[in-house]
Amino acid sequence: NITVDGGTFPYEFNWSATDGGVIPEGQENNEDLTGLVAGTYTVDVLDSNGCPETLEFTIDQPSLLTVELDTENPSTDMLDCYLDSDGVINITVDGGTPDYSFTWSATDGGVIPPGQENNEDLTGLVAGIYTVDILDGSGCPETLTFPIDQPEGVEITLDESESFQELLCFEDEDGNLEINVTGGTLNEGEDYSYSWSATDGGEIPPGQENNEDLTGLVAGSYTVTITDDNGCSITGTYIL
């Protein structure tokens, strides 16, 4: 918005723009301009006698508001274990106009921990999709969405067709347990680790404490703890 004084009325205006500036259509000969982008604007003014005057004005803008993952403090894209709740998201915000405000939301099973809805970073996260909406001090928005995945849970099932849980005679020693394990995380060529224990009269035959399956069992209660390469474990108990 400009003010012209002196000379001989009426005045004639001719606007031009450089450095990214754009004169809105139909405003080239207005006294004032609206709806402008950043740039340098120049108005040449002539009065009715052809006497000239010039004014130059620059409209600046802040740098682009950006949000990205913090490379120095990595975020969790894959949890170690199924149903873990120790994921983190660390972001870095740049540009725009400080100060920034943050609003987090979650979908696909994700949960924003209480009290962290407006934090810059998040901790203690389960698997899901997390989205942060950012506003800078001028109300300019930016959004980042980040998924946290999890491995399949370690699952254990008893192979009933190959297991023998009903001993035929008192103090028989011919029971056996065969299990199937799936899920979790295994490195190439690796297997799960097994740890068996027994109660209620059961006995782990020597050398079978870390086997996948057990043979030569007496009556009792048998418990196996299975661990994958990430340290994720599951426990199953079987009665003979």
Side-chain angles (χ1 to χ4, degrees):
N1 296 312
I2 65 174
T3 299
V4 182
D5 192 24
T8 303
F9 188 81
Y11 309 111
E12 177 184 319
F13 304 91
N14 184 28
W15 286 94
S16 60
T18 57
D19 298 331
V22 178
I23 306 300
E25 186 175 355
Q27 296 189 41
E28 297 85 353
N29 303 120
N30 286 10
E31 179 176 355
D32 303 320
L33 299 182
T34 61
L36 302 179
V37 298
T40 299
Y41 295 84
T42 301
V43 60
D44 295 309
V45 183
L46 291 177
D47 71 0
S48 61
N49 290 331
C51 301
E53 186 57 80
T54 298
L55 174 72
E56 182 178 275
F57 185 76
T58 299
I59 296 178
D60 206 354
Q61 64 181 348
S63 58
L64 179 67
L65 177 63
T66 61
V67 54
E68 59 186 16
L69 296 175
D70 188 340
T71 57
E72 294 184 1
N73 298 288
S75 299
T76 305
D77 56 5
M78 174 67 80
L79 299 173
D80 286 337
C81 300
Y82 181 69
L83 295 182
D84 267 359
S85 57
D86 57 359
V88 299
I89 300 177
N90 296 311
I91 63 174
T92 299
V93 182
D94 194 23
T97 304
D99 293 323
Y100 310 111
S101 67
F102 306 90
T103 302
W104 285 93
S105 59
T107 57
D108 291 348
V111 178
I112 307 299
Q116 297 191 39
E117 297 84 357
N118 303 120
N119 286 10
E120 179 173 354
D121 304 319
L122 298 182
T123 62
L125 302 179
V126 299
I129 296 178
Y130 295 85
T131 299
V132 60
D133 294 307
I134 302 169
L135 292 177
D136 73 0
S138 296
C140 303
E142 188 56 85
T143 298
L144 174 74
T145 296
F146 183 74
I148 295 180
D149 206 353
Q150 63 183 348
E152 293 182 16
V154 182
E155 294 187 2
I156 176 175
T157 57
L158 180 68
D159 188 341
E160 296 184 359
S161 65
E162 298 295 332
S163 298
F164 183 47
Q165 294 178 270
E166 296 292 335
L167 302 181
L168 297 180
C169 300
F170 181 70
E171 293 187 346
D172 269 359
E173 298 179 2
D174 57 356
N176 67 285
L177 294 171
E178 293 200 16
I179 60 174
N180 297 315
V181 184
T182 58
T185 303
L186 289 179
N187 297 322
E188 186 175 355
E190 297 292 329
D191 196 4
Y192 306 100
S193 65
Y194 304 88
S195 179
W196 285 94
S197 61
T199 57
D200 297 332
E203 295 180 7
I204 307 299
Q208 296 190 40
E209 296 86 354
N210 303 119
N211 287 8
E212 178 177 356
D213 305 316
L214 297 182
T215 61
L217 302 179
V218 299
S221 177
Y222 294 85
T223 298
V224 61
T225 299
I226 301 165
T227 305
D228 70 3
D229 285 342
N230 281 348
C232 310
S233 62
I234 189 173
T235 298
T237 298
Y238 308 97
I239 306 297
L240 272 68

